[in-house]
Amino acid sequence: MTEPRNLLRSLPPAAAEEVFEILLERPGVKLERIVSRGQTTPEGEWYDQDWDEWVLLLAGAARLTIEGEGETDLGPGDALLLPAHCRHRVAWTDPLRPTLWLALHVKSEEGS
């Protein structure tokens, strides 16, 4: 029997980089927990991924910048779909408390 796991507990200690933990991986699909503590995407850098990414903020606070759309604030319970090649960056995460993300990466229908 599989034991349940609470994703809001057993957080890694603060680190210089975000902590990515793969929870499930299958062909074309990856689910991960990301823990941020004040980290942002470096200035001038953008994520431009070959896959769709659905993110759900479980705890904390964050702000994403989406190219051509501006900034989007996220709080607990907020979810967002970032289609493949939607250029985006993490503009801010709360430095005083952990920001927990659940990210689902899905191979795009275009086959990229």
Side-chain angles (χ1 to χ4, degrees):
M1 179 174 252
T2 303
E3 289 290 321
R5 178 169 178 217
N6 187 316
L7 296 176
L8 303 177
R9 296 189 185 130
S10 301
L11 299 180
E17 302 290 325
E18 289 179 305
V19 177
F20 296 82
E21 178 185 5
I22 296 173
L23 304 173
L24 175 72
E25 192 165 21
R26 299 287 186 273
V29 176
K30 179 170 68 172
L31 179 66
E32 62 186 354
R33 178 179 78 167
I34 305 167
V35 181
S36 307
R37 295 178 188 253
Q39 289 91 356
T40 62
T41 306
E43 277 300 317
E45 292 186 21
W46 293 86
Y47 289 105
D48 185 352
Q49 304 164 158
D50 291 334
W51 54 86
D52 297 334
E53 181 179 8
W54 177 84
V55 294
L56 168 65
L57 206 73
L58 297 172
R63 183 176 306 117
L64 293 180
T65 301
I66 300 172
E67 188 174 59
E69 295 183 26
E71 292 189 339
T72 300
D73 290 324
L74 300 172
D78 289 336
L80 182 65
L81 176 63
L82 300 161
H85 301 292
C86 171
R87 285 172 44 101
H88 64 283
R89 58 188 316 277
V90 178
W92 176 85
T93 60
D94 192 333
L96 302 178
R97 59 187 169 143
T99 296
L100 288 132
W101 311 76
L102 193 61
L104 179 64
H105 304 272
V106 181
K107 184 177 179 181
S108 76
E109 293 179 10
E110 301 167 358
S112 313

